[in-house]
Amino acid sequence: MNQIGFPLVSLAIALPALGALLVWLTPASQTRVARGFAMLSALGALATAVALVARFDASQAGYQLVDSVAWVAAWGLSYTVSVDGISLWLVVLTTLLTPVSLMASWNAGGAHPRLQQALLLLLAGAMTGVFVAQDMLLFYVFFELTLVPTALLIGIWGGDDRRRAAQTFLVYTFAGSVVMLVGIVGLYQAHGVQTGIYTFDLATVLASLQLGAVQLPLETERMLFAAFLIAFAVKLPLWPFHSWLTTAHTAAPSSGVVDIAGMVIKIGAYGLIRFNVQLFPQAAAWAAPAIGVLAVIGVLYGGWIAFGQRDMKRILAFATVSHLGLIVLGIFALNPQGLSGALLQMISSGITTGALFLIVGMLAARRDSRDVQHFGGIWGQAPFLGSIALVMVLASIGLPGLSGFIGEFTIMLGAWISPVLGWTYVSIAVIGVVLAAAYLLRMFRLVFMGPPREAGAPLRDANTLESLMLGVLLVPTLVIGLYPNALLLMMEPSVQQIAQQIGQTLASR
Amino acid sequence: MMFQISDVPRLLPELMLAVLALLVLGSDVLERWADDPAARRERGRAAAQLTGIGLGLIWLVTLVQGGLAFTIAPAGAAGPLDALLSLGRNLQAGGAERGALLGAFATDGITVMARLLLIGAALVVALLAGDHLPDAHPAEFFTLLLLATLGMCVMAAAQELIIAFVALECSSIALYVLAGYSARQPAAAEAGMKYLLFGVVSSAVLLYGMSLAYGVTASIGGADGGPPRVNTSFAAIAEAVRVADVAQRGAVMLAVTLMIAGVAYKLALVPFHSWAPDVYQGASPTVAAFLAAASKTAGVFLLVRVLTAAFPDVAGAAGANGFTGWAALLALLALSTLVLGNLAALPQDVTRRLLAYSSISHAGFLALALLPLGGAAPLRDAASAALLYYLVVALIGSLAAFGALAALQAAGVADRLEDLAGLRQRNPLLAAVLTIAIASMAGLPPLAGFTAKFAVFVGAWEAGAAWLVVIALVTTVIALAYYLRVLRPIWMQPADDRPTVSVAPVTAVTLALAALALIALGVLPGPLWQLAQAAVLAR
């Protein structure tokens, strides 16, 4: 059980945590030193993630680069982290967004900079942990660990409503994850009773379930499925559990620091694939149509509400709800197309929506408002911001050649040919995509186009730091759009394996 | 069965506690050399320091003698430490006997664990109280603290009704006085009075249950069909219960119910909780810490002894296999405590009162942890270990939280939630300690509270009480809501012009250690789990 090669995966978790500690220990007067520590550790984590990609064997489906030590042997609890095709790119996304969020934090200024950077790094470490944990209880620990820094980031630096928003966020998502804990205990207990092996190890539990060593009665399987589903549906959030997300984004600091870090809220979607679909394929197929309906409602509802908003952050928050609906639709297509489309879309929307949140933050800092009506015709003054915003909007909408297109297209394809969903879902969800074009282009038009609405001080274009962070996000948008295979190739075996398992289960039904 | 001189070492910690209590009381006479404030302060410090040093020593002796954590190898090559090692060896040899002394006083692993917990709690309280001395009669304060600890230790070892009751009264009477110690403050006087009145009634209820249990041994024949074995020992009661017929089981259940009700008051289980918020709020904060940590722990140990030694045959079940016996009683108490305790905590505005309700709700978890103790051997042992684990963590958590509040009060910070505003800037250490303690109580991983709750959940789930586990989990969400009401001002409100808070060094170190322990036990639960298992298996 104990195998430690070079602990590359653990390093990706530990580096940001170490950075957080160093930043916290730096004296308050040494701003530059603190920034240096923060950025170094974030870049170190990014380099580790790149090394992971390099060492990853794209022809294998299972867990790779495993670090495992017994934690509490008596409970079958272990510290096991590794990557597979599903988690690999999400780790890269997390480590890529961390330096950007740090730069956004420098750019925005604000009180207690050391604490803010330390929290951002802690959040990054915990999120990486979520994506690589292959032990159920360890996953839960990291899952909960992401809550505290996020709540503090919202609660200390947020807008007027920050304290209530932080509390809502914390209680809401904690409630969801507690239900997951019930699921974990239930699964642990069922596995222990039936095989005599009490373990939280995901690979072992998965193997027992697939080989039939553990047979869950239909009702039990569905209840466990529901326990995990509730946790992830709240975390995602799936309509109708979305209210905390829009509150949190609205109350989070205008600069977009937290929003971009929170873009990895994709934890919920990841959990759906890792737990719900992989562990309980039968229940997943049973519940897929119902969840598909919720997802489609989310797509339409998010788009519809976003269309009516004037606060740019609220537009983007509802856009997120809409995007996540599409992602869930892809996951519950339960075929390779749907799953890989969902994964791609998770990464793509994380980058594009994150970039848009940052741009909104920059605009808000310049004009002290996020209301679209206080802007207008600023392209002439800030052409760089405008062009990046245009690219990100188009990528979000799904223009071919940019990152959003491939994901959306494969999700639609997957859902269409899926035996459990079908063309009706797709044909309704597609309205949401049209809506996305409408509300995002509307926002872009109102802000950047037309005659300048407010005379007065001209609006500054992006400074070097801002250009740098947007540039960092622009690269993957183009790369994914032009050559998605770079990502898809590595996901392929893992996705195929999951889909194959589901196929077998469904066929044997 | 005779008491022999060689049995004396088995009672060493208790004897040392009694001697220390007399020593503290007696040495105070020598300290009365003047009556100015400086002399009075010095007098208090002397008593506190003597108590602290003595308790530290007793704790170490208990740890070495108990032999749970480590055993010293038999004599090896003579080395520089040999004198010390052979002292330890002698201590362990004296404490190795596990069977019950005179069939009335168990010195098994559970007793050792109880001693470590209770004496440890008293030690922490004595350290905290050194910076927060009572207005008058300091030596008596610490003597009472020691006597209460002595009573609790005996209570946790009792294998017989009379010892159990006498020990309970020994600790209770000392605690009544302690609760009302700062008698010049009306709130403290009220707290002491309330605690006394509730305590006396509950003792009467407990005593009634005990007399019924005693009566059961007299009216039911021996296991071999012979005449009844009239006896107050738990073993005799268990034997009588085993052969009791259905009609006689009614009297048995009545006895169990009354005894559980009597002890439930100690634990502040709903509906026997109404004294707790007032007493925790009114008594001096160090006494509140002692009540929340030690008194509750001792009550749990007494319940463990009574239920597993005297009434294993009416354990019953509280799940899919039926709803009978004391397991069902405990399930009902756990249910009402978890739900009402947590809901009642929500609207509280006074920090200590809020924590009092949180402490009540934690008693619900203790009842949940006691549930599976009537089960079969492997499950029961795992559940007992989980209970011990939870007790350790809850004890440290209460001491850290109430200790931090005591430090705040000593620094002149008022006790409403809004008075905590900006504590992050006013005293980072206290803010961190309070946050860690509360986050641990809320069960946020990777703190000790999470692992402890988790162990309890697994035990109860295995015992078939999955429904109660689900309810308990739901209540933890409610709990998070009110815990956040404490944490929010600390972290998210500016200090404005509130003064900084200073903490005495001993208090600061003690609290920091407690907080570190909560982190360490959460990140590495293994060693404590092994210790708990060893304690359960050392019979």
Side-chain angles (χ1 to χ4, degrees):
Chain A
M1 178 128 180
N2 291 353
Q3 39 174 317
I4 289 274
F6 184 71
L8 208 53
V9 181
S10 304
L11 204 60
I13 307 172
L15 274 176
L18 185 70
L21 187 68
L22 285 175
V23 169
W24 184 62
L25 289 177
T26 316
S29 55
Q30 305 287 327
T31 321
R32 297 180 71 90
V33 179
R35 285 184 178 186
F37 278 138
M39 188 48 81
L40 263 183
S41 60
L43 289 179
L46 180 59
T48 317
V50 172
L52 278 177
V53 174
R55 297 218 15 214
F56 189 81
D57 181 355
S59 62
Q60 280 188 16
Y63 302 126
Q64 301 183 28
L65 305 164
V66 183
D67 298 338
S68 177
V69 272
W71 188 5
V72 185
W75 299 348
L77 174 58
S78 69
Y79 168 83
T80 307
V81 292
S82 65
V83 285
D84 66 355
I86 293 169
S87 47
L88 181 68
W89 291 110
L90 293 169
V91 173
V92 177
L93 175 68
T94 312
T95 51
L96 180 75
L97 292 184
T98 316
V100 178
S101 69
L102 284 175
M103 284 192 274
S105 147
W106 302 349
N107 190 39
H112 317 300
R114 284 181 312 152
L115 185 62
Q116 190 172 48
Q117 294 177 63
L119 288 174
L120 284 171
L121 287 169
L122 276 184
L123 183 59
M127 290 208 178
T128 311
V130 168
F131 291 130
V132 299
Q134 306 299 354
D135 180 282
M136 292 189 290
L137 205 61
L138 185 67
F139 174 86
Y140 181 80
V141 169
F142 280 125
F143 193 83
E144 294 284 60
L145 266 185
T146 60
L147 297 184
V148 180
T150 317
L152 284 176
L153 283 168
I154 297 172
I156 299 179
W157 289 277
D160 299 334
D161 201 19
R162 59 182 185 275
R163 286 181 208 130
R164 202 180 59 83
Q167 174 145 4
T168 312
F169 165 77
L170 206 54
V171 174
Y172 217 120
T173 41
F174 184 70
S177 53
V178 154
V179 182
M180 173 167 74
L181 190 61
V182 176
I184 292 178
V185 173
L187 192 55
Y188 170 75
Q189 205 261 346
H191 188 269
V193 167
Q194 292 193 24
T195 61
I197 306 166
Y198 283 87
T199 180
F200 291 102
D201 185 46
L202 199 54
T204 315
V205 173
L206 184 60
S208 306
L209 282 172
Q210 284 175 351
L211 299 175
V214 172
Q215 306 233 330
L216 298 173
L218 201 59
E219 288 74 28
T220 315
E221 184 180 345
R222 287 179 183 170
M223 277 167 76
L224 290 175
F225 175 86
F228 283 100
L229 178 70
I230 289 172
F232 298 133
V234 170
K235 191 81 178 174
L236 262 166
L238 187 64
W239 187 90
F241 302 105
H242 62 277
S243 64
W244 69 264
L245 181 91
T246 46
T247 322
H249 274 305
T250 315
S254 287
S255 62
V257 177
V258 183
D259 303 298
I260 178 137
M263 268 305 112
V264 198
I265 297 267
K266 314 290 182 256
I267 287 173
Y270 168 79
L272 280 181
I273 301 180
R274 178 66 80 214
F275 288 90
N276 286 61
V277 170
Q278 216 175 355
L279 290 177
F280 313 112
Q282 200 140 341
W286 168 72
I291 298 172
V293 169
L294 290 184
V296 171
I297 294 178
V299 172
L300 295 182
Y301 173 86
W304 184 255
I305 303 288
F307 195 75
Q309 300 295 318
R310 283 169 51 184
D311 181 337
M312 290 188 276
K313 286 189 79 172
R314 285 183 75 81
I315 297 181
L316 292 177
F318 281 105
T320 312
V321 173
S322 176
H323 281 174
L324 287 166
L326 203 59
I327 290 170
V328 173
L329 195 65
I331 294 172
F332 280 92
L334 301 177
N335 54 19
Q337 291 83 356
L339 284 171
S340 45
L343 275 170
L344 214 54
Q345 181 70 359
M346 279 154 78
I347 293 160
S348 159
S349 96
I351 294 171
T352 54
T353 320
L356 287 173
F357 267 119
L358 282 182
I359 294 174
V360 168
M362 294 167 195
L363 293 176
R366 285 162 171 70
R367 214 139 278 156
D368 213 17
S369 163
R370 304 190 307 232
D371 188 333
V372 281
Q373 302 207 332
H374 291 165
F375 293 88
I378 58 172
W379 179 285
Q381 295 155 5
F384 181 78
L385 276 183
S387 42
I388 300 274
L390 183 60
V391 173
M392 292 301 174
V393 162
L394 292 177
S396 243
I397 293 169
L399 189 78
L402 293 170
S403 64
F405 170 70
I406 309 292
E408 264 177 26
F409 177 74
T410 22
I411 288 176
M412 299 277 180
L413 180 68
W416 188 292
I417 62 174
S418 163
V420 285
L421 295 179
W423 64 271
T424 37
Y425 290 86
V426 179
S427 48
I428 301 175
V430 92
I431 301 172
V433 178
V434 178
L435 272 176
Y439 61 76
L440 282 175
L441 286 174
R442 166 178 166 271
M443 177 173 95
F444 181 79
R445 181 174 58 79
L446 286 175
V447 172
F448 286 97
M449 299 288 121
R453 195 129 346 144
E454 248 182 46
L459 203 130
R460 207 163 33 78
D461 203 352
N463 61 25
T464 326
L465 193 61
E466 291 168 342
S467 315
L468 186 62
M469 40 190 181
L470 293 178
V472 169
L473 295 177
L474 185 62
V475 175
T477 314
L478 295 175
V479 170
I480 299 173
L482 294 174
Y483 189 63
N485 256 357
L487 274 67
L488 285 173
L489 270 182
M490 303 230 177
M491 298 174 186
E492 196 66 18
S494 301
V495 167
Q496 287 286 358
Q497 194 193 33
I498 295 177
Q500 212 176 356
Q501 289 294 345
I502 299 168
Q504 282 172 7
T505 319
L506 294 189
S508 68
R509 226 180 8 172
Chain B
M1 227 185 331
M2 284 260 297
F3 188 81
Q4 293 164 334
I5 291 296
S6 63
D7 284 333
V8 171
R10 295 170 65 186
L11 296 170
L12 195 57
E14 282 80 11
L15 293 174
M16 286 175 85
L17 278 174
V19 171
L20 181 63
L22 296 177
L23 207 59
V24 171
L25 194 61
S27 70
D28 186 50
V29 177
L30 305 176
E31 293 287 343
R32 294 185 188 174
W33 40 270
D35 201 30
D36 52 290
R40 248 181 285 149
R41 202 162 46 242
E42 188 52 40
R43 201 177 133 200
R45 280 213 193 117
Q49 283 161 359
L50 183 59
T51 314
I53 294 169
L55 278 172
L57 196 68
I58 299 175
W59 195 82
L60 275 180
V61 165
T62 313
L63 182 71
V64 174
Q65 190 196 30
L68 289 180
F70 56 88
T71 45
I72 298 171
L81 286 175
D82 204 49
L84 209 57
L85 281 181
S86 63
L87 179 66
R89 233 173 263 131
N90 284 335
L91 271 178
Q92 286 199 339
E97 181 73 36
R98 300 291 188 202
L101 200 58
L102 292 178
F105 188 97
T107 53
D108 55 6
I110 305 262
T111 306
V112 175
M113 202 69 186
R115 283 170 179 164
L116 286 174
L117 278 172
L118 298 168
I119 297 173
L123 172 61
V124 173
V125 169
L127 290 176
L128 294 175
D131 294 324
H132 198 261
L133 289 165
D135 316 333
H137 309 299
E140 284 86 340
F141 179 87
F142 290 103
T143 306
L144 287 169
L145 182 72
L146 289 166
L147 287 178
T149 314
L150 170 65
M152 290 173 189
C153 286
V154 177
M155 200 158 114
Q159 289 290 321
E160 194 254 2
L161 290 175
I162 293 179
I163 290 210
F165 189 75
V166 170
L168 182 86
E169 285 303 294
C170 172
S171 75
S172 296
I173 292 171
L175 286 175
Y176 300 148
V177 184
L178 284 177
Y181 209 78
S182 333
R184 260 177 256 162
Q185 293 164 4
E190 184 195 329
M193 201 61 199
K194 245 180 203 161
Y195 194 44
L196 171 71
L197 290 177
F198 275 90
V200 168
V201 173
S202 78
S203 291
V205 172
L206 178 69
L207 198 58
Y208 191 41
M210 285 178 161
S211 65
L212 270 176
Y214 177 59
V216 164
T217 64
S219 56
I220 298 173
D224 47 2
R229 232 181 99 210
V230 185
N231 202 316
T232 53
S233 80
F234 292 168
I237 298 172
E239 203 176 294
V241 170
R242 197 170 309 126
V243 293
D245 60 33
V246 180
Q248 289 159 325
R249 285 265 162 119
V252 172
M253 274 319 290
L254 187 59
V256 175
T257 311
L258 289 171
M259 286 170 82
I260 288 182
V263 184
Y265 151 85
K266 278 258 152 217
L267 298 181
L269 287 167
V270 176
F272 307 101
H273 69 289
S274 51
W275 59 275
D278 290 340
V279 173
Y280 285 16
Q281 190 188 348
S284 88
T286 39
V287 174
F290 193 60
L291 283 177
S295 171
K296 196 167 275 195
T297 308
V300 172
F301 278 112
L302 180 59
L303 264 191
V304 170
R305 291 298 189 196
V306 170
L307 294 180
T308 58
F311 298 104
D313 288 291
V314 285
N321 315 325
F323 198 76
T324 54
W326 50 259
L329 276 178
L330 286 174
L332 287 178
L333 285 175
L335 179 67
S336 60
T337 309
L338 285 169
V339 173
L340 293 177
N342 280 310
L343 287 180
L346 275 175
Q348 302 303 326
D349 283 326
V350 177
T351 318
R352 233 191 304 160
R353 215 173 162 78
L354 190 148
L355 284 185
Y357 277 107
S358 119
S359 172
I360 291 172
S361 73
H362 280 273
F365 280 101
L366 288 171
L368 187 62
L370 282 165
L371 266 189
L373 294 191
L379 281 187
R380 187 193 59 215
D381 290 348
S384 310
L387 173 65
L388 288 181
Y389 193 99
Y390 192 92
L391 280 175
V392 175
V393 171
L395 185 109
I396 300 175
S398 321
L399 285 175
F402 280 98
L405 292 189
L408 281 172
Q409 183 169 347
V413 179
D415 55 359
R416 300 188 74 78
L417 286 176
E418 64 256 26
D419 297 312
L420 295 174
L423 190 63
R424 171 169 67 94
Q425 288 150 332
R426 293 156 68 198
N427 188 325
L429 177 84
L430 278 186
V433 169
L434 212 49
T435 306
I436 291 171
I438 285 177
S440 168
M441 288 180 189
L444 289 179
L447 294 170
F450 167 70
T451 11
K453 271 189 188 157
F454 182 77
V456 168
F457 285 155
V458 172
W461 187 296
E462 298 259 350
W467 61 278
L468 200 52
V469 171
V470 173
I471 291 173
L473 277 164
V474 172
T475 61
T476 61
V477 179
I478 304 174
L480 185 71
Y482 64 76
Y483 286 133
L484 284 180
R485 296 189 60 222
V486 185
L487 296 185
R488 225 160 56 164
I490 297 180
W491 291 92
M492 296 180 187
Q493 271 174 20
D496 295 332
D497 51 355
R498 291 190 175 83
T500 52
V501 175
S502 62
V503 187
V506 177
T507 307
V509 172
T510 314
L511 291 177
L513 284 178
L516 282 180
L518 287 177
I519 297 177
L521 291 178
V523 175
L524 291 172
L528 179 59
W529 182 255
Q530 277 164 7
L531 186 70
Q533 271 186 323
V536 171
L537 296 176
R539 278 193 281 263

